[in-house]
Amino acid sequence: MGKSSSSVLAWLITTCLLLIITVSASNYDYEGSLNRRFLLGNGLASTPPMGWNSWNHFNCMIDEKIIKETADALVSTGLAKLGYNYVNIDDCWAEINRDDKGALVPKKSTFPSGMKALSDYVHSKGLKIGIYSDAGLFTCSKKQPGSLGHEELDAKTFASWGIDYLKYDNCNNDGSRPTLRYPVMTRALMKTGRPIFFSLCEWGDLHPALWGYTVGNSWRTTNDISDTWESMVSRADENEVYADYARPGGWNDPDMLEVGNGGMTKNEYIVHFSIWAMSKAPLLIGCDVTNITKDTMEIIANKEVIQVNQDKLGVQAKKVRMEGDWEVWAGPLSNYRIVVLLLNRGSLRTAITAHWDDIGITPATSVVARDLWEHKTLETSFTGNLTATIESHGCKMFLLEPVS
């Protein structure tokens, strides 16, 4: 065999080996846990989701009339135009028993028209609809079945109804790890061919921020929130620990908004909304939007704060300074801007200073500061630091832009 023949043989052997490696790799990408991110190629959540969820205000007292009226209200109040486009049904929507084919059945007494008709109604308003299930034998209320062992059938059912969002809880499970149970639903959702936002609600079990990005579009980092200052700030603290793991396509979730439910003051709700926005948390309204107050609308309809949450850079803000009862939070935004929160957790009014070297600005840089709650740009530029006096349980939120 001549030199040219040897070269051809070597080329053939190399080509065959490359083909074998390529096929093996492609099979591994499909099946392998290291590449499970391909199973979540649903193209959703480039920014955090916005919408409404029934649980915080209504708990189990839900029916199709409430869902339709909420969809109507999101449109009529202008909230839908601001981005609040998910109408999410939480626990207690299904009968306790599945049908003779094993499928989930909407509760006849509260959802007599069925979920497909309700989905069509919500979609007719230009909105999206979400539903709730559980990676266990029963949901948290124990009033309806969970999806454990029925993942493929339930995913097909949700897709056939036109569901756009699935909140997936962690109650009454079999004791196995959520890292084993949740990816089963991920694969089932992907098999349907319908893009469905997948919200992991396993309350921070096994630190889902460390593995959630390959499985879902958001993951709860905390236990359930309640409508108190102490609960809200503690959830913010727990969520902030995982700031580095949030990114476009997958977001840390410190639970839904309590703004408007009456347990906190207006200033405290402003703090709540500000932290959730800059933390790139899902902005899911938890109050009754059919009976919304002016104060609540001023908070949840703040376009400038919403824009921080929806900024395309997708970087979660962090605490950069803490002294006693005051804190400075900061995070980068697109176009070289920075959002800063001065937070007073104490009982007395106090002055708080954000220093450039804490928030990631070079000391000599001058910035223009815009107050996102007062909706005004401060008259002078700032170099080195910015100071403001903050009321008890209050905050100031600034957008800083370098002077060109």
Side-chain angles (χ1 to χ4, degrees):
M1 183 181 289
K3 185 177 180 181
S4 59
S5 299
S6 299
S7 298
V8 170
L9 180 60
W11 178 83
L12 286 170
I13 293 170
T14 302
T15 301
C16 290
L17 286 172
L18 284 172
L19 283 170
I20 292 167
I21 292 168
T22 300
V23 170
S24 298
S26 64
N27 288 337
Y28 184 74
D29 284 346
Y30 182 73
E31 298 289 340
S33 61
L34 290 177
N35 291 286
R36 195 171 285 132
R37 61 191 175 87
F38 293 115
L39 294 175
L40 201 70
N42 57 18
L44 302 176
S46 60
T47 59
M50 296 175 62
W52 174 87
N53 179 282
S54 61
W55 184 257
N56 284 359
H57 184 83
F58 292 100
N59 299 113
C60 276
M61 304 300 291
I62 56 170
D63 57 34
E64 64 183 45
K65 181 173 180 286
I66 288 170
I67 304 306
K68 287 182 177 181
E69 289 177 347
T70 297
D72 294 343
L74 288 174
V75 174
S76 64
T77 58
L79 289 168
K81 286 186 177 179
L82 294 175
Y84 294 101
N85 56 15
Y86 283 106
V87 181
N88 291 347
I89 304 164
D90 212 284
D91 203 352
C92 308
W93 61 266
E95 298 284 4
I96 189 64
N97 295 313
R98 293 171 176 269
D99 68 15
D100 55 4
K101 295 180 180 178
L104 292 166
V105 180
K107 199 171 182 181
K108 289 181 176 62
S109 61
T110 50
F111 293 90
S113 303
M115 285 299 171
K116 180 63 170 68
L118 185 56
S119 175
D120 288 345
Y121 184 86
V122 171
H123 289 152
S124 76
K125 299 292 179 177
L127 302 171
K128 298 179 180 180
I129 190 167
I131 209 161
Y132 167 96
S133 192
D134 189 287
L137 302 174
F138 296 94
T139 62
C140 294
S141 69
K142 296 186 178 179
K143 294 182 178 180
Q144 69 180 65
S147 291
L148 186 64
H150 299 267
E151 291 88 351
E152 284 205 19
L153 177 57
D154 289 355
K156 287 178 183 177
T157 301
F158 298 150
S160 72
W161 289 343
I163 296 299
D164 304 296
Y165 186 115
L166 174 63
K167 176 182 174 183
Y168 203 49
D169 224 326
N170 195 34
C171 290
N172 304 304
N173 60 68
D174 61 0
S176 63
R177 292 171 175 262
T179 48
L180 297 176
R181 285 178 286 115
Y182 277 76
V184 180
M185 182 56 84
T186 305
R187 291 189 286 271
L189 291 172
M190 294 304 297
K191 272 189 177 182
T192 69
R194 180 176 180 81
I196 297 176
F197 186 106
F198 191 25
S199 168
L200 315 183
C201 182
E202 47 83 270
W203 332 308
D205 186 14
L206 289 182
H207 308 286
L210 307 184
W211 52 269
Y213 189 72
T214 63
V215 180
N217 297 115
S218 68
W219 43 85
R220 277 280 295 280
T221 53
T222 71
N223 282 320
D224 288 359
I225 194 172
S226 59
D227 191 15
T228 68
W229 169 260
E230 290 76 16
S231 174
M232 182 271 291
V233 293
S234 68
R235 301 302 178 269
D237 291 342
E238 293 165 19
N239 187 67
E240 189 267 346
V241 172
Y242 301 104
D244 288 338
Y245 296 94
R247 69 191 87 167
W251 307 102
N252 292 320
D253 178 8
D255 206 2
M256 299 165 292
L257 294 166
E258 290 283 6
V259 180
N261 281 329
M264 289 183 256
T265 67
K266 183 178 181 180
N267 279 347
E268 289 171 340
Y269 281 140
I270 287 172
V271 170
H272 181 12
F273 195 73
S274 299
I275 294 177
W276 263 238
M278 69 191 306
S279 296
K280 303 300 187 288
L283 296 183
L284 297 176
I285 301 166
C287 67
D288 180 3
V289 295
T290 68
N291 188 28
I292 202 163
T293 66
K294 182 173 178 288
D295 281 351
T296 298
M297 275 297 292
E298 285 179 2
I299 296 170
I300 63 175
N302 186 324
K303 293 180 183 179
E304 296 188 80
V305 176
I306 290 171
Q307 286 169 359
V308 168
N309 179 259
Q310 297 291 298
D311 184 76
K312 63 184 179 181
L313 192 63
V315 176
Q316 181 174 328
K318 301 178 184 179
K319 295 181 193 183
V320 296
R321 195 74 181 269
M322 297 174 288
E323 288 191 21
D325 289 326
W326 65 258
E327 298 174 353
V328 177
W329 294 59
L333 301 174
S334 57
N335 299 322
Y336 308 103
R337 299 167 302 156
I338 289 181
V339 62
V340 174
L341 186 79
L342 308 181
L343 172 61
N344 180 7
R345 295 173 69 150
S347 59
L348 300 174
R349 196 166 178 255
T350 189
I352 302 176
T353 300
H355 295 278
W356 276 201
D357 54 356
D358 289 329
I359 64 178
I361 302 176
T362 54
T365 301
S366 293
V367 305
V368 173
R370 182 165 177 81
D371 187 320
L372 300 187
W373 287 104
E374 295 293 332
H375 302 293
K376 65 180 182 182
T377 301
L378 305 189
E379 293 182 359
T380 59
S381 60
F382 295 84
T383 304
N385 62 72
L386 183 154
T387 300
T389 300
I390 314 297
E391 300 293 334
S392 169
H393 288 198
C395 69
K396 284 281 189 181
M397 190 176 189
F398 297 104
L399 184 67
L400 307 184
E401 189 165 1
V403 177
S404 58

